[in-house]
Amino acid sequence: MKKIVFIISSLLLGCSSNTKENTIIIATAANMQFVMPILVKHFTAKTNIACELVIGSSGKLTAQIKEGAPYDVFVAANIKYPTEIYNSGQALTKPQVYGYGKLVLWSMIDTIAPQIVNLKADYIQHIALANSKTAPYGVAAVEVLKAYNLYGELEDKLVFGESIAQTNQFINSKSVEVGFTAMSVVLSPNIKGKGNWIAIDAALHKPIKQGVVLIKQESKDNKHAQKFYNFLFSTEAKNILKKYGYLVNE
């Protein structure tokens, strides 16, 4: 049997109690890359449980989990992928929606006003969006363009990022004139106030129901992962999510 080795690029957040047994690994959708460290900081301060974050597109993280990646919690950008994990028998719980994402159109070029109607203009040559095959925010962006009957007309301008994180790099570096991303990105501390953006009418795409699920780890006690899972639905966590542009169930 082919042995699969996972090389995890991650961010380790925690305090003194960061032993392997007391650390949970959280697979995190790229749209949450700025919010999750804040959530983890609050969680670790309350529980003394360290968290390791692995950030990527929801589709790729799903594939890694199916191949046996040692993740304890999967915080996805939609409900589809956690449901897929649950249906495969690799989850301890049915997936639950922890928040609803918001889509924005963002440009880092001062002279460009991001508007859907302007996407056809000659001065916009490249439009970034996440890969709709693996990234839920990419799916939403395609649905918006199709709602305006613009997808076919603009297809040659589209530049697909592997995840919303790579899409953000395209936009932030001005490699593209404009792009679709998550509202949590433009509201994050290191991005807020940079460039121009508009919120996309949520009626133009299916709701971005962001789901979370606990992953089965036979060789590891899941009690710490369960605590983080519960924390994600706490009033404290919901207030953080709302601050960064997510809708939550009250």
Side-chain angles (χ1 to χ4, degrees), residues 8 15 24-25 51 91 100 103 107 114 128-129 145 154 159 185 197 202 205 208 212 214 221-222 235:
I8 301 175
C15 46
I24 57 176
I25 303 176
C51 302
Y100 300 82
L103 189 69
S107 176
L129 64 160
L145 293 176
L154 298 176
V159 179
V185 173
W197 61 272
H205 60 80
I208 305 174
V212 59
L214 287 172
D221 191 331
N222 74 312
T235 299

Side-chain angles (χ1 to χ4, degrees), residues 16-250:
S16 58
S17 185
N18 60 354
T19 63
K20 183 177 179 182
E21 294 77 15
N22 201 36
T23 300
I24 57 176
I25 303 176
I26 306 170
T28 306
N31 76 90
M32 291 284 286
Q33 70 181 109
F34 299 112
V35 185
M36 189 57 74
I38 298 169
L39 289 166
V40 163
K41 181 180 179 180
H42 283 254
F43 172 73
T44 299
K46 290 170 69 74
T47 64
N48 206 34
I49 298 170
C51 302
E52 189 173 342
L53 302 182
V54 181
I55 297 170
S57 70
S58 293
K60 290 206 167 185
L61 292 172
T62 298
Q64 291 171 4
I65 291 167
K66 285 186 170 183
E67 294 289 352
Y71 307 151
D72 300 299
V73 185
F74 180 26
V75 181
N78 68 4
I79 198 69
K80 169 190 170 184
Y81 289 118
T83 299
E84 197 172 312
I85 296 300
Y86 176 75
N87 289 340
S88 71
Q90 292 173 277
L92 290 169
T93 58
K94 287 186 177 181
Q96 298 290 329
V97 174
Y98 64 89
Y100 300 82
K102 294 182 182 178
L103 189 69
V104 302
L105 187 63
W106 178 36
S107 176
M108 283 293 289
I109 300 174
D110 292 338
T111 56
I112 290 181
Q115 297 287 342
I116 298 293
V117 293
N118 294 339
L119 295 180
K120 294 189 295 182
D122 291 339
Y123 60 83
I124 294 181
Q125 294 294 310
H126 304 96
I127 304 164
L129 64 160
N131 184 353
S132 60
K133 293 182 180 179
T134 58
Y137 279 80
V139 173
V142 169
E143 289 174 350
V144 169
L145 293 176
K146 288 182 176 180
Y148 278 96
N149 294 317
L150 289 174
Y151 185 81
E153 188 174 351
L154 298 176
E155 196 165 5
D156 290 340
K157 294 185 178 185
L158 302 182
V159 179
F160 294 91
E162 183 178 289
S163 67
I164 203 75
Q166 188 176 49
T167 305
N168 295 333
Q169 291 173 6
F170 293 156
I171 302 168
N172 200 29
S173 66
K174 302 181 184 179
S175 299
V176 301
E177 288 80 17
V178 69
F180 292 92
T181 190
M183 185 177 286
S184 60
V185 173
V186 296
L187 293 181
S188 64
N190 56 331
I191 297 292
K192 191 173 182 179
K194 295 182 180 180
N196 306 304
W197 61 272
I198 60 165
I200 300 297
D201 184 353
L204 297 173
H205 60 80
K206 294 176 184 176
I208 305 174
K209 298 179 180 179
Q210 304 205 179
V212 59
V213 71
L214 287 172
I215 308 301
K216 284 183 181 178
Q217 291 295 343
E218 302 296 341
S219 60
K220 191 174 180 181
D221 191 331
N222 74 312
K223 63 182 180 181
H224 294 319
Q226 181 70 59
K227 286 182 179 179
F228 180 80
Y229 181 95
N230 295 342
F231 171 76
L232 200 54
F233 294 93
S234 69
T235 299
E236 183 178 0
K238 287 179 179 181
N239 286 338
I240 293 170
L241 288 167
K242 287 191 288 186
K243 181 178 178 181
Y244 288 93
Y246 293 94
L247 297 174
V248 297
N249 293 318
E250 300 293 350

